[in-house]
Amino acid sequence: MSKYLLEIGTEELPAKFSYSVLKQFKSLIEFELDKKLIKFEHIVVTSTPRRIVLLLEGLVDYAEDKIIERKGPKANSAYLNGCPTNAALGFANSLDIDVGELEIKNTEKGDFVFGKKIEKGLSTKISLSSIIPKLVKSLQGPRFMKWGAGNIKFSRPIRWIASIYNDEILDFEFDECDPKIKIGNKSKSHRLINKVLEVQNPDDFFELLKENRVIGIRKERKEKIESLINQASKSLNLKPDLSEGLLNELTDLVEWPDLIIGKFSDEFLDLPVEVLSTVMKSHQRYVPLLLKNKSFSKLDLSSEKNISTTFCVISNGLEESNNNIAKGNEKVLRARFSDAKFFVESDKKVASIERNQKLKSVSYLKGLGNIFQRVERIEEVTKKILKFLNDKSLEEKKIIEAAKYCKNDLCSEIVFEFPELQGIMGGKYLKYEGFSEDVCLAVAEHYLPSFYKDALPSSKYGAIVSIADKVETLISIFISGKRPTGSSDPYALRRNLNGVIKIIWDYELNLPLDKLFNELIDFWKIAFPNLNFSRETVFNDLNQFLVQRIVSHLEEISLSKELIKAVCSPDELSQKKVLNIVDLKNRIKSIMNFKEKENFVEIQKVITRVSKLANNSNLSTDVFSTKDYVDTKLFEKDCELKVFEFIGELEKLFSEGYCNYLELLNLFEININTIEDLFDNEKGVLIMSEDLKIRNNRLNLLSLIRNYSLKIADFTLLNS
């Protein structure tokens, strides 16, 4: 078994590309080797800021032989009286096989002669020499560049390529770079050591890099960074504010991680912790250290209770330079914090109501006015939501006030400099001005959730303003004709609607979105008489989009495909029920609880049998009363009367307009034998009676049972 090493040496790669290229590179090489029938035991694809590395182990020296079956002439042309003709001999000769190896096979067009040709597997070295250059040129990423006079495009200029098969250089053509690259066995050390390394064998490669301050295995580098930060934090009795995203970025910024501890002045603890953290993490790639066991408020304008003045820097420098690196980073951080402090102090001098007025000068979408007008629409949406919810526990005045000021910080200096702090700073400034905590927190959290698995607003006030903000965006974009198509979603409408669904789902808000859309489209029609759009088309598109996102939400919370299909079946009645998110959640919970019962399979089978027979009836799925549809005078046996009485119990259950779905399922469980008796050879009846009136009467009985079962799910689609 052989080994192959490929190292593509470059100028410093962008951290995101250095990470994202690994999966892409791995899938491409696996696809190409599989296509060439080249087997291997293990593959390693890794990267550092200056190199992308491929290591193949347990590699066969030759690809597997390929058996190719070819179709030849018709059998009656190939053989005459059992002897091969010139046609058979010529066909065998073309395949380089003996005529006796030909076979006759029957096809749709008659009997034909077939022959098998064995194509010998190519040398792995020859295959790799053609695969590798094609693969490198096919890698993709953002903002690829050309350099020099060459034609090749890559994330950053390629400076060297090492290609080693066992202990030999595996050469290949790669002539499009400028300056021209010679394929060899030379690698390079850490940039600050600046040594050329000779790689004798793939086995020695990663150890050779380590000896020259390069940890080539990305996973190992990541674990070392995490360990360094955790050890330092523990020794200081602090907690690192280290997200997975920041850890990944640090991993792809250094080849030999070294930890440096820095400090900033206490004077900057007057700034909000989010400002300090954003500057350190997003702008400088430092790791803030938080105080342990301290209460945290999103509305605090100072951070002395939350964060330490000590922070961590992951350096790619030499150890002897650590003191200078620490001083340099502290100096940079002081300048950034000083700017932030100036912005916050300037913002404090301006009232939120003044900033709100400035929103009139900030454009929104073409034809939809400015941000101030958008805020007015958010207020209107909020009022509509409150009307539908009719929740007496909420103070409407506070929620409308939160909606009014939710965008006030868009005209603040701190948000202009740090856009990721919008909403958060708005809530803090309102708190500083003396607004109620409910209003301030609602403003601070109204952008939540901003991505899948993000936290939700912590109060109903924030939840309602968040829904209003997202719904306003949704309707404005749909009305302007810029709805998502395919994978394109420039206004993040899918993410917005996902957030609305998640809030309603978790808070169990009885908010009929289809009815809300209906009223709001009328409001937009009045507000924008010059906008040319079809009210009916927009409404239908919004509802269709909503159903798609609800189904997507169910998939994201890991419900089975069968259950999703059963509760979201494509008929019109089911689609309308899907739009009621709280009702949908209750139906799903009831089914999942009921599935735990031992006799669920039996119940599901009986309802499925009933539903399939009911398809022979003309009774609509929206009929739930026996009146005018079932004639008791046509009953021939007691089992029919008992089923009729069972349907009466179902009618009574739904007569008050509210249904406990577990009660519905319990009724089915109690009466399952009653339904089964209909099909019993002795007690039962023949559903498809020759008497048309009796047949329709019995089918209507079954249809009513089916219709009530459809109130919770389509049992024919449930996988028992």
Side-chain angles (χ1 to χ4, degrees):
M1 291 293 194
S2 297
K3 294 184 179 182
Y4 175 66
L5 172 74
L6 173 72
E7 181 191 36
I8 305 164
T10 67
E11 297 292 345
E12 270 75 4
L13 295 165
K16 285 184 180 177
F17 176 75
S18 181
Y19 178 50
S20 65
V21 75
L22 302 181
K23 188 176 180 181
Q24 186 185 162
F25 199 179
K26 186 172 183 285
S27 63
L28 284 171
I29 190 69
E30 286 175 337
F31 174 77
E32 291 293 339
L33 293 178
D34 183 60
K35 193 165 73 171
K36 299 278 187 182
L37 302 180
I38 298 171
K39 301 293 182 186
F40 60 90
E41 290 176 356
H42 186 58
I43 181 171
V44 175
V45 180
T46 186
S47 65
T48 78
R50 293 184 72 207
R51 66 202 81 218
I52 300 166
V53 179
L54 164 70
L55 176 63
L56 293 167
E57 296 177 302
L59 192 63
V60 296
D61 290 323
Y62 286 88
E64 291 180 344
D65 294 343
K66 191 175 182 180
I67 299 173
I68 302 169
E69 187 174 60
R70 295 270 170 82
K71 181 182 173 185
K74 283 191 172 183
N76 56 13
S77 300
Y79 292 94
L80 186 63
N81 299 324
C83 296
T85 64
N86 287 336
L89 293 168
F91 178 58
N93 189 48
S94 71
L95 296 176
D96 199 22
I97 61 174
D98 189 86
V99 72
E101 296 177 56
L102 296 178
E103 297 177 37
I104 296 174
K105 291 185 180 181
N106 182 260
T107 71
E108 291 178 358
K109 295 182 179 180
D111 291 343
F112 280 81
V113 172
F114 286 81
K116 290 179 180 176
K117 178 182 179 180
I118 297 176
E119 197 175 87
K120 286 288 182 183
L122 280 175
S123 159
T124 299
K125 289 201 282 188
I126 292 172
S127 294
L128 283 172
S129 64
S130 64
I131 288 171
I132 296 301
K134 182 176 78 170
L135 186 149
V136 174
K137 291 171 189 175
S138 66
L139 291 173
Q140 296 180 347
R143 294 183 290 278
F144 267 32
M145 60 185 290
K146 289 183 179 181
W147 60 96
N151 289 321
I152 192 167
K153 283 186 175 182
F154 205 67
S155 182
R156 290 295 181 269
I158 297 172
R159 296 306 186 201
W160 77 89
I161 294 178
S163 174
I164 304 160
Y165 191 92
N166 293 330
D167 54 358
E168 301 173 13
I169 294 171
L170 179 63
D171 200 3
F172 52 82
E173 286 189 17
F174 203 78
D175 300 330
E176 297 174 47
C177 281
D178 180 33
K180 190 175 178 182
I181 290 172
K182 183 180 179 183
I183 311 300
N185 64 347
K186 300 292 192 293
S187 180
K188 290 191 178 181
S189 66
H190 188 286
R191 184 180 283 282
L192 296 176
I193 296 176
N194 199 24
K195 277 173 63 179
V196 175
L197 312 175
E198 188 170 324
V199 184
Q200 300 294 340
N201 191 291
D203 287 331
D204 308 329
F205 177 69
F206 290 113
E207 278 305 314
L208 181 64
L209 288 183
K210 272 189 183 177
E211 290 167 10
N212 290 275
R213 290 184 70 86
V214 176
I215 299 176
I217 301 294
R218 186 183 183 279
K219 184 182 177 184
E220 192 179 326
R221 206 164 61 250
K222 182 178 178 180
E223 287 171 353
K224 183 177 180 182
I225 291 171
E226 192 169 21
S227 174
L228 286 170
I229 292 169
N230 286 336
Q231 285 174 17
S233 305
K234 190 176 180 181
S235 67
L236 295 166
N237 196 31
L238 297 169
K239 185 172 72 174
D241 185 9
L242 180 64
S243 65
E244 185 67 16
L246 179 58
L247 178 58
N248 275 323
E249 192 169 6
L250 290 171
T251 303
D252 296 310
L253 286 172
V254 298
E255 291 199 310
W256 187 267
D258 199 8
L259 183 82
I260 296 173
I261 299 294
K263 285 187 77 70
F264 62 85
S265 172
D266 290 358
E267 66 182 286
F268 298 116
L269 292 176
D270 288 343
L271 289 170
V273 66
E274 293 90 350
V275 173
L276 299 179
S277 187
T278 298
V279 171
M280 285 192 272
K281 290 164 64 178
S282 301
H283 295 258
Q284 300 303 128
R285 277 71 179 179
Y286 303 157
V287 181
L289 298 176
L290 305 176
L291 302 178
K292 284 186 176 180
N293 303 319
K294 296 290 180 180
S295 60
F296 171 72
S297 169
K298 289 182 180 179
L299 303 176
D300 284 344
L301 264 173
S302 70
S303 55
E304 57 189 349
K305 296 178 181 177
N306 307 116
I307 198 167
S308 166
T309 54
T310 305
F311 61 93
C312 294
V313 179
I314 297 297
S315 166
N316 195 37
L318 301 177
E319 288 176 13
E320 53 265 33
S321 305
N322 280 359
N323 285 336
N324 286 336
I325 293 170
K327 287 177 184 176
N329 281 289
E330 287 170 355
K331 188 176 179 181
V332 169
L333 195 59
R334 181 177 183 83
R336 297 288 289 176
F337 281 171
S338 296
D339 289 344
K341 189 167 186 176
F342 172 78
F343 297 142
V344 171
E345 292 303 323
S346 298
D347 288 338
K348 284 181 182 178
K349 296 172 185 175
V350 181
S352 295
I353 194 165
E354 286 183 53
R355 278 195 294 272
N356 250 19
Q357 291 300 313
K358 290 181 182 179
L359 293 173
K360 292 177 180 177
S361 63
V362 183
S363 297
Y364 185 40
L365 292 169
K366 186 178 179 181
L368 291 170
N370 52 50
I371 299 295
F372 184 84
Q373 291 167 319
R374 178 175 183 244
V375 170
E376 289 181 322
R377 292 196 295 276
I378 292 172
E379 285 184 65
E380 185 63 30
V381 177
T382 303
K383 290 173 185 175
K384 298 279 188 190
I385 292 170
L386 289 169
K387 184 190 81 172
F388 280 113
L389 290 178
N390 193 26
D391 188 339
K392 303 300 181 186
S393 68
L394 299 171
E395 292 185 48
E396 291 190 12
K397 185 181 175 183
K398 285 184 178 180
I399 298 177
I400 293 167
E401 193 170 42
K404 179 180 178 180
Y405 289 105
C406 68
K407 304 296 177 187
N408 83 86
D409 60 354
L410 292 183
C411 286
S412 67
E413 293 193 40
I414 192 71
V415 168
F416 183 81
E417 184 68 19
F418 304 108
E420 56 267 61
L421 295 177
Q422 57 189 283
I424 295 168
M425 294 307 297
K428 290 178 187 289
Y429 289 150
L430 288 171
K431 179 67 174 172
Y432 176 73
E433 292 174 39
F435 283 77
S436 82
E437 190 154 323
D438 288 333
V439 172
C440 301
L441 195 58
V443 171
E445 296 182 335
H446 84 278
Y447 284 101
L448 299 176
S450 56
F451 55 87
Y452 178 58
K453 290 189 177 177
D454 192 12
L456 298 183
S458 59
S459 71
K460 269 192 181 181
Y461 292 86
I464 291 168
V465 178
S466 176
I467 292 172
D469 178 35
K470 291 169 172 58
V471 166
E472 191 284 330
T473 301
L474 196 69
I475 293 178
S476 291
I477 302 298
F478 265 72
I479 278 174
S480 60
K482 297 173 184 175
R483 58 206 70 175
T485 54
S487 60
S488 173
D489 188 11
Y491 297 98
L493 297 187
R494 293 187 182 98
R495 186 183 69 195
N496 272 309
L497 191 49
N498 287 349
V500 171
I501 292 164
K502 198 168 189 312
I503 290 170
I504 293 173
W505 182 276
D506 283 31
Y507 273 96
E508 298 190 351
L509 299 175
N510 191 16
L511 179 62
L513 286 175
D514 53 333
K515 293 178 181 176
L516 178 66
F517 291 158
N518 192 39
E519 290 197 12
L520 290 174
I521 292 169
D522 287 337
F523 174 77
W524 257 254
K525 192 82 174 172
I526 295 166
F528 299 101
N530 296 327
L531 273 180
N532 185 24
F533 64 90
S534 164
R535 187 197 180 287
E536 188 179 349
T537 301
V538 170
F539 179 68
N540 290 336
D541 286 353
L542 278 167
N543 283 341
Q544 187 182 7
F545 188 51
L546 176 57
V547 170
Q548 290 171 2
R549 300 327 301 162
I550 289 172
V551 171
S552 174
H553 172 73
L554 299 181
E555 290 169 348
E556 284 170 353
I557 61 174
S558 303
L559 291 182
S560 69
K561 289 181 180 178
E562 289 80 8
L563 181 54
I564 293 171
K565 285 179 183 176
V567 295
C568 304
S569 52
D571 63 272
E572 189 177 345
L573 193 65
S574 294
Q575 294 285 291
K576 285 181 180 177
K577 284 175 70 64
V578 170
L579 296 174
N580 188 333
I581 295 170
V582 175
D583 179 75
L584 177 66
K585 183 178 181 180
N586 289 335
R587 288 193 286 135
I588 290 168
K589 280 170 67 177
S590 300
I591 292 170
M592 292 181 77
N593 288 336
F594 209 73
K595 281 185 86 171
E596 301 298 319
K597 295 199 172 190
E598 291 181 6
N599 61 344
F600 177 78
V601 174
E602 182 191 354
I603 296 167
Q604 191 259 343
K605 283 180 179 177
V606 171
I607 296 175
T608 298
R609 184 177 183 183
V610 167
S611 299
K612 287 180 177 178
L613 274 168
N615 289 336
N616 294 300
S617 168
N618 294 322
L619 194 68
S620 171
T621 54
D622 59 356
V623 174
F624 298 99
S625 172
T626 55
K627 188 180 179 183
D628 299 330
Y629 296 104
V630 178
D631 185 355
T632 54
K633 293 175 184 176
L634 295 175
F635 291 167
E636 294 181 340
K637 289 194 176 181
D638 285 346
C639 62
E640 293 174 277
L641 184 60
K642 287 179 180 177
V643 169
F644 180 80
E645 289 169 352
F646 164 52
I647 294 169
E649 290 182 63
L650 292 172
E651 284 185 44
K652 187 178 177 183
L653 183 65
F654 281 87
S655 62
E656 296 173 3
Y658 169 77
C659 175
N660 182 317
Y661 290 113
L662 272 177
E663 283 185 34
L664 171 63
L665 288 168
N666 285 332
L667 261 181
F668 270 102
E669 182 183 20
I670 293 165
N671 290 277
I672 203 68
N673 291 332
T674 301
I675 301 170
E676 282 185 311
D677 284 348
L678 268 180
F679 309 117
D680 188 82
N681 288 334
E682 294 179 6
K683 300 178 187 176
V685 294
L686 179 64
I687 303 296
M688 303 303 286
S689 169
E690 291 184 8
D691 186 316
L692 197 58
K693 284 186 177 180
I694 293 175
R695 181 199 300 177
N696 287 335
N697 203 52
R698 289 169 182 170
L699 285 173
N700 286 349
L701 273 177
L702 297 182
S703 296
L704 286 163
I705 295 171
R706 174 203 62 195
N707 293 355
Y708 277 104
S709 73
L710 286 173
K711 278 187 172 288
I712 187 164
D714 185 343
F715 280 77
T716 64
L717 299 175
L718 269 179
N719 187 338
S720 58

